[in-house]
Amino acid sequence: MTSLDEFASILKEVVHAKRLSASKMSKLTEIALKSMEHDTQLVSILYRTHKSLPPAAKVSSLYVFDALSRAARHQVNKQGITGDINSTNGNSATFLLKIEGVLEGLFQDMITVGSPEAKVSCFTPFTDILLDMDVRR
């Protein structure tokens, strides 16, 4: 199983579980950070999975976006990584730029879900990370 296949598999387990599992989130984060060169595929898997979820699982999906964005941001800050959206090789900075590219779609999806907790959850602190990021130095 490739790292992207494993990522997709664990992601589905995480978002379909009744409760978020810290150990599974740690494993998912570890795989994502080791696979940042495939940033486009990671974001695509995250977004496609989110869009396919029933309303009850979409909040968990936002927590995954949040956790992975925070981990990538930490790596960018710690290692001084910069990103170019047109780069052929991905890294944590380009991952964040690509996450930024799907944010509007995530918010629109959460607003149209119709669930009150989904509408409140779409404005979690995760937006702070993405709104104040400047990885395009």
Side-chain angles (χ1 to χ4, degrees):
M1 178 182 288
T2 70
S3 62
L4 291 176
D5 291 336
E6 186 178 11
F7 177 81
S9 175
I10 295 173
L11 174 62
K12 287 179 182 164
E13 289 177 28
V14 167
V15 295
H16 287 292
K18 290 185 187 247
R19 294 184 189 192
L20 283 174
S21 163
S23 62
K24 286 187 181 176
M25 278 303 305
S26 292
K27 181 69 174 165
L28 189 66
T29 302
E30 177 186 333
I31 293 168
L33 291 176
K34 289 180 180 177
S35 304
M36 284 294 162
E37 68 273 8
H38 304 292
D39 58 349
T40 302
Q41 293 91 334
L42 289 171
V43 173
S44 178
I45 291 166
L46 285 165
Y47 191 73
R48 279 194 325 259
T49 300
H50 177 84
K51 292 293 280 183
S52 71
L53 292 171
K58 289 188 185 267
V59 173
S60 292
S61 176
L62 282 185
Y63 283 112
V64 171
F65 272 92
D66 176 59
L68 297 181
S69 296
R70 287 177 188 273
R73 183 66 180 166
H74 177 75
Q75 204 169 51
V76 164
N77 290 338
K78 184 177 176 184
Q79 298 175 5
I81 300 171
T82 59
D84 176 0
I85 196 74
N86 299 314
S87 173
T88 56
N89 291 331
N91 60 38
S92 294
T94 58
F95 173 81
L96 288 170
L97 291 171
K98 290 171 183 168
I99 288 285
E100 185 179 21
V102 300
L103 263 184
E104 180 66 27
L106 280 177
F107 286 132
Q108 290 304 317
D109 184 62
M110 294 305 291
I111 289 169
T112 60
V113 163
S115 167
E117 65 273 2
K119 289 179 182 177
V120 169
S121 295
C122 77
F123 297 103
T124 62
F126 135 78
T127 56
D128 295 339
I129 287 176
L130 296 171
L131 294 174
D132 78 345
M133 74 182 168
D134 183 19
V135 295
R136 290 178 223 135
R137 299 173 211 247

